[in-house]
Amino acid sequence: MFAELLCSAVALVLYVNTLGADFCYDDSRAIKTNQDLLSETPWTNIFYDDFWGTLLTHSGSHKSYRPLCTLSFRLNHVVGGLEPWGYHLVNVAFHGAVTGLFTLLARLLLGGGLWSLLAGLLFASHPIHTEAVAGVVGRADEGAALFFLLSLLCYIRHCKLRGHAGPWQLVAWLVGSLGCAACSMLWKELGVTVLAVSALYDICVFHKLKLRQVITLFYKRNNVHLLLSVFLLAVWGAVLLACRFYWMGNKPPNFSNSDNPAADSNSLLTRTLTFFYLPAINFWLFLCPDTLSFDWSMDALPLIRSLADWRNFYTAAFYLGLLLLAWFSLWTQQTAKGKETNGKAHHYTNGRNGNSNGHSYQYHEHEQINNSHTNTHINSAQNGTKKHYESRTPLPTSENVVVFSLGLLAIPFLPATNLFFYVGFVIAERVLYIPSMGFCLLVAVGMRSLYVRLRRRSSRTMLVYCSAVIVLLFGVKTVLRNRDWANEEMLYKSGIYVNPAKAWGNLGNVLKSQGKMEEAEQAYRNALYYRSNMADMLYNLGLLLQESNKFSEALHYYKLAIGSRPTLASAYLNTGIILMNQGRLDESKRTFLTCADIPDENLKDPHAHKSSVTSCLYNLGKQLHEQGHQEEALSVFKEAIQKMPRQFAPQSLYNMMGEAYMRLNKLTEAEHWYQESLRAKPDHIPAHLTYGKLLAMTGQKTEAERYFLRAIQLDPAKGNCYMHYGQFLLEESRLLEAAEMAEKAARLDGGEFDVVFSAAHMLRQASLNEAAEKYYGQAASLRPNYPAALMNLGAILHLNGKLQEAEANYLRALQLKPDDTITQSNLRKLWNIMEKQGLRTMSP
């Protein structure tokens, strides 16, 4: 147990600096915006939705069914809400547990000496694991690995008990293995491959069969136990896969071409060469994890389009090395001569002496045929220790371990190879978490074999030191890489070298959230320089320009985003809002209606799409409401409610429903929707104000005033609240109080025309003409081309005796609106007064 505890401790120590990290990259969608984590969402939804909270049978679902991982996130949320450290703590604990179990597996294969310790330390420290451990969504891979190892260890125990225990005990361990395999798959899909790895262990490690013996296995009746176990593993695997496929709607997922460019290529040669190259580059990441990235999509790995591409050499070298290693392990005949591990020849069948099932297998290390060494030295060579190994079940040979390690490396990686179906990534480092176990075993058994062949003690010592240096370098790289996962800004900066388009685009989002608008704009433009058709980046740049009041440029980029992705509802939404604010109402209406008709099939994030569609309908309804088309507005609002996703905040929509009914004088319906708005969000200020107005209309003055005061209490710095309360006081003839509220409103929201203009009007009603003049002037400066503002400013100047200034504002108002009868009447009255006083006028 010492090696297991030591390796687990090393794993925990290496990742302790991730505990202070924030949520990064995919964590936001899987945790922060995932409705399945919220207490108000039924927990049973977890078993019907994918990893990201989308209904599994939806056409836009990612089809990643990982309910046990999502359940663990929900438990995290119950305990600590959205505090990242709790999620990271669980991830680190999982990695420690997986490391301990893997070291136990290594001890069963390599013995309890130096080499199993090396395998465990390599796994604990390998930098390829940083994404799986430091990124919270990597918990899916950790959880799958945990139950993967539990399933495998249960199966190993089942094998070793054959002939030594009763049938019920054998069945219990087998059922435990099958159950853990199912749990592994419910953590992440690749967990089901443990069944194939277990079968490989039974055939090539426990029974030590060579390839030719495997082929003849099916013709021998004396291998019933083996055949039955492998058959049960195969059947259980088929059942799990069938259930999995049925549960996701019998349809594979759809991915965008940027996620996996090779899969979208029309050239069979390009697809073949690129897909063959990907396992080679993944293996290189095991060997030399120097360049790591949070994302390898888009053009991070250029497609291999011809046989002349030099990368094909790496592909050929990789598969040639793999084939030679497999040939050595599966075809090499074990030598019957020479000394065995303990100096005696043993025959083992299913872990016991004798030849009960008709075939025997000699146990020895092929490398250890050296007559010049004593038995003790031979044993020391095998395990890196002088301790004599005594067990009824001997350790497997190096050839057996190599075969098993290759299987453990390759089989869990098969789902990511695009061999059976296309996947939504090019390289995903966290997918390598389980296959890395096979790599670590390969390195350890290779070091052991090299140790055996070395004659000098100094050479062996140097090999041990080299192993220690590798572990140390891996550990240092892991700690440094963890820093990149501390926050999104550092993570995206670290990925610019590998995937500049994706990294710059995401970095732009981070910089924008920090208020660094110029840097964010430059980051978006950098991303578009590398990949000009990224709809998300075009949209994000448009949004930034819109928030910077550069509306023409914003519309240009929204148009490009829609051209790149015609289903991008958020681009339609913001285009419509700009057009509406510019007074281009017919264009905005067409834009909103186009957005509302976009279906949500085959979309990556149908929840976000539905939210944008709902917002489009809300804004269209609001536009119709302001134009006086209340019935049409209500019809649009009702459609919005029907299409509204469950994560959409409905309070503003309900409040606008109430306002539309109030304009139609349907006060009962209006009251219902105001109350619904407050029920959805009890601190929704607009609903307090509109409901207060309704209560005042129906004679419930005290209750109305309570709602106005409550709105002010919720946000004392919001001038609009004081303005509405002031209007209520004005209607109640409490003029001085109304004037006080008006001045507060204008001071707080001096840049809001409606607030300032209404404040000036209330002050005029309270006969505070000097103050009214000040705020009418402020309102006119906010909208210098608004006739009503100029006319009212002229009127108050007229009242205050500033006749020439009043004349100038009246004339300016008439230039903008020549047929305004009130302004014309006021101007004639003003000229009469000016003529009586002998003042010069601009009268024709």
Side-chain angles (χ1 to χ4, degrees), residues 387-414:
K387 181 179 178 181
H388 190 76
Y389 182 83
E390 293 180 355
S391 174
R392 291 185 301 171
T393 304
L395 292 177
T397 65
S398 289
E399 293 93 332
N400 301 141
V401 178
V402 167
V403 172
F404 179 76
S405 301
L406 288 173
L408 186 54
L409 174 68
I411 293 172
F413 184 71
L414 282 176

Side-chain angles (χ1 to χ4, degrees), residues 200 203-204 208-214 322-333 399-400 402-404 406:
L200 180 68
I203 295 169
C204 294
K208 302 181 178 67
L209 299 182
K210 295 294 181 179
L211 185 59
R212 282 173 292 185
Q213 293 168 317
V214 173
L322 208 62
L323 288 172
L324 288 175
L325 201 56
W327 178 276
F328 162 78
S329 304
L330 288 172
W331 286 91
T332 301
Q333 291 298 308
E399 293 93 332
N400 301 141
V402 167
V403 172
F404 179 76
L406 288 173

Side-chain angles (χ1 to χ4, degrees), residues 209-226:
L209 299 182
K210 295 294 181 179
L211 185 59
R212 282 173 292 185
Q213 293 168 317
V214 173
I215 295 172
T216 60
L217 177 66
F218 298 97
Y219 302 102
K220 292 187 176 182
R221 296 182 179 181
N222 52 3
N223 289 294
V224 175
H225 289 295
L226 174 59

Side-chain angles (χ1 to χ4, degrees), residues 522 561 576 706 713:
Q522 187 57 51
R706 188 173 70 83
Q713 182 184 1

